[in-house]
Amino acid sequence: MKLVHKSLFIFSTLALTACSLAPDYQQPQSSVLTSQQTNEYSTVNWQDFYQDKQLQQLIALALHNNKSLQVSALQLQQLQANYQIEQSKSLPDINLSTAGTRQLNSQSSTTAAFMPKYSNSYSAGVGFSAYELDFFNRIGNLKENALAQFTAGQFAQKTLEQSLAAQVASLYFDYQAGLFKIDLQQQVLASAQQKFAIAHKQYDQGLITSLDYRQSQSNQQNIAINLKQLQQTNVSTYNQLKQLVGYSNLDALHKISVQFSLSQLQQLPANIQSQVLLARPDVAEAEQKIKAANANIGVARAAFFPSISLTSSLGFASQDLSDLFNANSQTWSFSPQLNLPIFNHGRLQAQQQIAELQQQAEIIQYQNVVETAFTELNTRLSAQQALSEQLELQQQVVDNYQQQVKLSELRLTQGLEDPLTYQEFKQLLLSQQQSLAELELAYLKNQISLFKTIGGQYTQIDQQLLLL
């Protein structure tokens, strides 16, 4: 027994002092993260960015109920369980075993006279088998790989949360803008109907030609068609929202108002430091995959070196069940086994090459993710500036048309303006207001994309949002 304990202590000490053959992790260089000098910015929580209470509730419901997110959460639990499996391999599995045998001995052999007709054997013991001493950290690297894969899965989950929230917000503003544009289009249709009624009277009186009359009629019909298209588009948007938020939460969708303004989102700064991109979950996920690939290299390298496994047991064995646990029935065994690869026809070299190539691919993928994020950031910031300028100019256009409508209405009351001309000015104003709404929608959606680009924070869902 002392020999067993001493051997186990020695081998355990050697295992704890094992050396890792995996390369040290070094964060890949990316020149894009130092080429832009901008103001500092720290990411904000999504509930601070999405300031519209109705939108906050819809996002919270989507994060809580969305089926794709639930599937991702289950896959993450699988990765966690796999890590626990690899972690358990660093310690031996202790098993308790008992056995009993009753055997009929042959009576035709020459030794039958010296043997009983029946023989019994009983045993009970505890021990472990094929426990590998991790001298070269093969098991440790398998555990590091599983941990990195699990951590990468956590970041992938955050990326999915960001994408889901951005998709809900984008559809929400599409729907609100759709309601607003439908209202404007209904006003345009009402104006076109009035214009057609006036044209009809003027045609009957011979004041306008048949061509002018038909053009007025076609204009009314085209506007009515556009209204139907806007309504159908909004129904489609509403249906997409229902799926994302969950069909069991339709009451929350019925509460969506027609309010539509830029104040529904927190204003993001015009300049954002590119280093903030390192906090993006997809960048962090790519980094974890490099660490997992490094660990795989360590596993592949360890395969070239000898491995030692231990099998040991301690227990009792006896031919009589009543004597099984007597002191004289004690047994023990200790079986170390050494395995050293000699000829494998290049298989181990190929496995190491695959691991190294996978690491190189993950490094390139990491750089690609960073560069993509940097491109997205520049694109969104540039679009934000351009849309701001367009919004300012379009607002001036709307203001000018509003003044024209007021002047035309005043001239109409004084009998100095043709009613058709007044209706034309009114339709032009409504058309420009629609253009302004489209620009505002584009600006809001660009802000949503920018918030997603910089990796907005998604902390625990406020349960009160699920009850609004």
Side-chain angles (χ1 to χ4, degrees), residues 11 101 314 324 400 407:
F11 283 119
T101 303
L314 174 65
L324 179 61
N400 289 333
L407 292 174

PDB file of all heavy atoms in Angstrom, residues 11 101 314 324 400 407:
ATOM      1  N   PHE A  11       3.853  10.471  -9.387  1.00  0.00           N
ATOM      2  CA  PHE A  11       3.289  10.704 -10.708  1.00  0.00           C
ATOM      3  C   PHE A  11       2.383  11.937 -10.721  1.00  0.00           C
ATOM      4  O   PHE A  11       2.340  12.677 -11.692  1.00  0.00           O
ATOM      5  CB  PHE A  11       2.515   9.475 -11.190  1.00  0.00           C
ATOM      6  CG  PHE A  11       3.398   8.367 -11.674  1.00  0.00           C
ATOM      7  CD1 PHE A  11       3.371   7.126 -11.057  1.00  0.00           C
ATOM      8  CD2 PHE A  11       4.262   8.564 -12.746  1.00  0.00           C
ATOM      9  CE1 PHE A  11       4.179   6.097 -11.505  1.00  0.00           C
ATOM     10  CE2 PHE A  11       5.074   7.542 -13.202  1.00  0.00           C
ATOM     11  CZ  PHE A  11       5.039   6.301 -12.566  1.00  0.00           C
ATOM     12  N   THR A 101     -19.071 -14.828  -8.736  1.00  0.00           N
ATOM     13  CA  THR A 101     -19.121 -15.887  -9.742  1.00  0.00           C
ATOM     14  C   THR A 101     -19.346 -17.239  -9.068  1.00  0.00           C
ATOM     15  O   THR A 101     -18.678 -17.564  -8.072  1.00  0.00           O
ATOM     16  CB  THR A 101     -17.809 -15.935 -10.552  1.00  0.00           C
ATOM     17  OG1 THR A 101     -17.568 -14.673 -11.150  1.00  0.00           O
ATOM     18  CG2 THR A 101     -17.883 -17.012 -11.637  1.00  0.00           C
ATOM     19  N   LEU A 314      -7.856  -1.244  -5.469  1.00  0.00           N
ATOM     20  CA  LEU A 314      -7.667  -1.678  -4.082  1.00  0.00           C
ATOM     21  C   LEU A 314      -8.976  -2.299  -3.625  1.00  0.00           C
ATOM     22  O   LEU A 314     -10.049  -1.690  -3.796  1.00  0.00           O
ATOM     23  CB  LEU A 314      -7.313  -0.486  -3.189  1.00  0.00           C
ATOM     24  CG  LEU A 314      -7.224  -0.764  -1.687  1.00  0.00           C
ATOM     25  CD1 LEU A 314      -6.067  -1.710  -1.386  1.00  0.00           C
ATOM     26  CD2 LEU A 314      -7.061   0.557  -0.919  1.00  0.00           C
ATOM     27  N   LEU A 324     -15.117 -12.273   2.578  1.00  0.00           N
ATOM     28  CA  LEU A 324     -14.711 -11.289   1.568  1.00  0.00           C
ATOM     29  C   LEU A 324     -13.998 -10.092   2.168  1.00  0.00           C
ATOM     30  O   LEU A 324     -12.984  -9.627   1.631  1.00  0.00           O
ATOM     31  CB  LEU A 324     -15.939 -10.827   0.765  1.00  0.00           C
ATOM     32  CG  LEU A 324     -15.678  -9.784  -0.315  1.00  0.00           C
ATOM     33  CD1 LEU A 324     -14.712 -10.338  -1.360  1.00  0.00           C
ATOM     34  CD2 LEU A 324     -16.981  -9.362  -0.990  1.00  0.00           C
ATOM     35  N   ASN A 400     -39.878  75.754 -46.795  1.00  0.00           N
ATOM     36  CA  ASN A 400     -40.188  76.616 -47.954  1.00  0.00           C
ATOM     37  C   ASN A 400     -41.532  76.245 -48.580  1.00  0.00           C
ATOM     38  O   ASN A 400     -42.336  77.128 -48.926  1.00  0.00           O
ATOM     39  CB  ASN A 400     -39.077  76.515 -49.008  1.00  0.00           C
ATOM     40  CG  ASN A 400     -37.799  77.194 -48.558  1.00  0.00           C
ATOM     41  OD1 ASN A 400     -37.840  78.127 -47.746  1.00  0.00           O
ATOM     42  ND2 ASN A 400     -36.666  76.736 -49.049  1.00  0.00           N
ATOM     43  N   LEU A 407     -49.091  80.841 -48.613  1.00  0.00           N
ATOM     44  CA  LEU A 407     -49.305  81.957 -49.536  1.00  0.00           C
ATOM     45  C   LEU A 407     -50.360  81.593 -50.585  1.00  0.00           C
ATOM     46  O   LEU A 407     -51.222  82.407 -50.930  1.00  0.00           O
ATOM     47  CB  LEU A 407     -47.987  82.336 -50.216  1.00  0.00           C
ATOM     48  CG  LEU A 407     -46.916  82.966 -49.314  1.00  0.00           C
ATOM     49  CD1 LEU A 407     -45.613  83.156 -50.074  1.00  0.00           C
ATOM     50  CD2 LEU A 407     -47.410  84.310 -48.779  1.00  0.00           C
TER      51      LEU A 407
END
